[in-house]
Amino acid sequence: MSIEQHKDVESGDPNGLQYLQEPFIQQGDAAAAARNEVGSDKSVENNGSIGMVLLSTLVAVCGSFSFGTCVGYSAPTQAAIRADLNLSLAEFSMFGSLVTIGAMLGAITSGRITDFIGRKGAMRVSTGFCISGWLAVFFSKGSYLLDLGRFCTGYGIGVISYVVPIYIAEIAPKNLRGGLATTNQLLIVIGSSVSFLLGSIINWRELALAGLVPCFFLLIGLCFIPESPRWLAKVGREKEFLVALRRLRGKGLDISHEATEILEYVETLQSLPKIKLLDLFQSKHVRPVVIGVGLMVCQQSCGINGIGFYTAETFVAAGLSSGKAGTIAYACIQVPFTALGAILMDKSGRRPLITVSASGTFLGCFITGIAFFLKGQGLLLEWVPTLAVAGVLIYIAAFAIGMGPVPWVIMSEIFPINVKGTAGSLVVLVTWLGSWVVSYTFNFLMSWSSPGTFFLYAGCSLLTILFVVKLVPETKGKTLEEIQARMDS
């Protein structure tokens, strides 16, 4: 979800979105230009204490881990929840998809919350919603409290998806920003994988209690880390800004140069025109908007949230006696391929990576569709479970390596700095809306036609390849100014 914006999204201030939306691993001229655009931290480039930066990052990504556990919760618990609470398919589909509705609202309001009470305050609010949601799920005796809990956890992770990457980007020195930003994506995937694994050995109520653990770690950790210096500077709390920056950089380092640049950059951002949502549809912004939104539509239409939310049931439908083994394999394969995608981001280029990834999701969906087709025709039944598991695992590996992270990276590079805030708001809404549509309709599509569902997602993967080839520019190795010049041509 991976994701990812500061002065309040609705107001269109790009402060912080610039940092949030840098590539996971930055190298070369493009990375240098991205960092120059937001100010260079020369005084902390190669030295200084990074202990507090690492601790602060570790605390913040507890929120990312919580995000992952929430997203991964429904996949291993579907059968048990339906049986214990006597839920219909429609009722469980509503439960599974409510997390995305809550996340949409969380993403919309997160800008104002984060701007008004700060990055740490927003993390506390989001954690409060997650804790309330998990407790509601644990104590639920029917669909009402279950759905309320799912909605609350969704709202919490909607705020988390916004504030955690911002906080990490704002506290990190420039030479560490790319690597530390990667931890956000990795912890989301790890959280999801842990939820998958635990869900295969403990019941759904115990899994809900397990979701409280990273929330409590985050709340406790927030007592020991500083607020974002850039937010403090933005709201005019200069004395606290200097104290926070000193804690992050170490007592023995001269922070005057970095402090001056941050204050100057904040002043520059406040002088930029504020872009409203309708302004995005002016002719000069249409092309990047079409590319950014189109990539997110492609990402969601390939079916990731349907397949991810209901993995165990998909394997059972394919003929496995239990979905646990396939779910465990699913969980284990996500993390290394997500890391591999981050490594390849600035080596292979954006377009080749997402094209290969979409080809892989097509292959995975096609193989899974064939498996269900064979089952429906009563052919080669002994091969059906193997094909289904293989297809889903190919799909997940392929998605993790490119379709997951690359659209966010490209989106961060194609929008001008004063447009990124509002454009980011639009992209987040489209992403969560697409996630809700896919997660809500997946079970109904499977009831209509299991092979047809996966062939449909395979077709969307092919359309993604066509979209990338025709419309998406290659941004590897280019400065942001060069990318903007190409977008305007």
Side-chain angles (χ1 to χ4, degrees):
M1 21 33 130
S2 193
I3 123 125
E4 347 291 49
Q5 313 166 313
H6 302 313
K7 189 162 176 157
D8 143 23
V9 180
E10 294 81 13
S11 69
D13 190 321
N15 187 7
L17 181 63
Q18 173 67 21
Y19 302 126
L20 164 63
Q21 297 173 334
E22 291 181 6
F24 293 137
I25 294 179
Q26 299 183 7
Q27 301 171 354
D29 295 339
R35 294 190 292 261
N36 287 339
E37 185 182 11
V38 298
S40 61
D41 303 334
K42 294 180 181 178
S43 59
V44 295
E45 183 170 0
N46 292 312
N47 50 28
S49 172
I50 64 168
M52 182 56 69
V53 172
L54 295 178
L55 175 63
S56 300
T57 301
L58 179 62
V59 170
V61 296
C62 288
S64 306
F65 189 92
S66 180
F67 184 140
T69 60
C70 182
V71 170
Y73 179 78
S74 62
T77 59
Q78 176 172 347
I81 291 177
R82 289 189 63 188
D84 290 352
L85 301 183
N86 195 27
L87 300 183
S88 67
L89 179 63
E91 287 173 327
F92 189 84
S93 293
M94 176 57 71
F95 166 74
S97 63
L98 269 173
V99 66
T100 57
I101 297 177
M104 280 191 285
L105 294 178
I108 293 170
T109 59
S110 58
R112 291 191 182 279
I113 293 172
T114 306
D115 189 57
F116 185 67
I117 62 176
R119 290 24 173 167
K120 289 174 60 177
M123 283 188 269
R124 290 190 177 99
V125 168
S126 66
T127 304
F129 272 95
C130 287
I131 291 174
S132 300
W134 285 125
L135 290 175
V137 171
F138 176 78
F139 288 110
S140 61
K141 302 296 183 182
S143 62
Y144 176 76
L145 196 57
L146 191 73
D147 289 348
L148 179 62
R150 188 68 166 168
F151 176 84
C152 287
T153 55
Y155 184 88
I157 67 169
V159 177
I160 285 173
S161 68
Y162 177 97
V163 67
V164 170
I166 286 178
Y167 179 77
I168 294 173
E170 289 181 343
I171 65 169
K174 71 172 187 176
N175 60 308
L176 298 178
R177 187 175 296 129
L180 292 179
T182 307
T183 61
N184 174 62
Q185 181 76 6
L186 285 176
L187 264 292
I188 292 173
V189 173
I190 292 172
S192 176
S193 298
V194 168
S195 190
F196 275 35
L197 295 172
L198 286 179
S200 66
I201 57 177
I202 63 177
N203 68 48
W204 62 273
R205 293 188 190 275
E206 292 171 341
L207 187 59
L209 286 183
L212 295 173
V213 175
C215 298
F216 288 133
F217 272 107
L218 178 58
L219 283 180
I220 295 171
L222 287 172
C223 299
F224 300 97
I225 63 174
E227 177 59 90
S228 161
R230 285 174 170 83
W231 179 77
L232 293 170
K234 185 173 63 175
V235 297
R237 292 158 61 174
E238 187 169 340
K239 183 177 180 180
E240 294 171 69
F241 154 69
L242 292 172
V243 170
L245 189 61
R246 172 67 66 197
R247 288 186 66 190
L248 289 166
R249 300 298 180 251
K251 293 183 179 180
L253 197 69
D254 179 12
I255 62 170
S256 59
H257 179 75
E258 182 181 8
T260 300
E261 288 192 331
I262 290 174
L263 292 172
E264 289 177 350
Y265 183 63
V266 168
E267 183 179 352
T268 299
L269 286 174
Q270 292 174 343
S271 68
L272 291 173
K274 294 181 179 180
I275 301 295
K276 297 180 180 179
L277 186 61
L278 292 179
D279 295 332
L280 294 178
F281 300 97
Q282 297 175 358
S283 58
K284 61 182 178 180
H285 300 314
V286 165
R287 187 184 178 197
V289 167
V290 168
I291 293 172
V293 171
L295 282 172
M296 295 306 171
V297 170
C298 291
Q299 181 193 66
Q300 295 303 317
S301 65
C302 291
I304 181 60
N305 283 291
I307 296 172
F309 283 13
Y310 308 111
T311 303
E313 289 302 301
T314 301
F315 289 150
V316 171
L320 289 177
S321 58
S322 170
K324 289 185 178 180
T327 301
I328 291 172
Y330 178 120
C332 294
I333 206 170
Q334 288 188 100
V335 177
F337 278 92
T338 300
L340 179 61
I343 293 170
L344 293 176
M345 190 76 67
D346 284 309
K347 293 185 177 181
S348 66
R350 297 9 167 188
R351 277 164 53 99
L353 190 59
I354 198 170
T355 301
V356 170
S357 176
S359 300
T361 59
F362 164 77
L363 179 62
C365 284
F366 186 77
I367 291 174
T368 309
I370 290 294
F372 279 104
F373 176 78
L374 292 174
K375 181 185 177 184
Q377 300 299 314
L379 302 172
L380 301 175
L381 294 180
E382 67 277 11
W383 284 95
V384 168
T386 302
L387 285 174
V389 172
V392 170
L393 295 184
I394 290 172
Y395 174 92
I396 293 304
F399 186 91
I401 204 171
M403 286 290 290
V406 173
W408 290 103
V409 173
I410 293 178
M411 188 270 289
S412 75
E413 296 169 327
I414 60 176
F415 291 115
I417 185 172
N418 63 318
V419 174
K420 285 185 176 181
T422 306
S425 175
L426 178 62
V427 168
V428 167
L429 282 175
V430 169
T431 303
W432 283 115
L433 179 60
S435 177
W436 175 77
V437 170
V438 171
S439 61
Y440 183 73
T441 60
F442 180 80
N443 280 328
F444 296 107
L445 287 172
M446 289 290 284
S447 297
W448 159 69
S449 171
S450 296
T453 300
F454 286 94
F455 290 146
L456 175 63
Y457 294 152
C460 290
S461 297
L462 290 179
L463 290 177
T464 297
I465 297 172
L466 182 63
F467 179 83
V468 171
V469 170
K470 292 292 185 181
L471 293 177
V472 178
E474 178 56 70
T475 57
K476 171 195 171 186
K478 295 181 174 63
T479 67
L480 295 182
E481 291 76 18
E482 290 171 342
I483 294 170
Q484 289 305 311
R486 180 173 179 182
M487 297 300 297
D488 293 338
S489 62

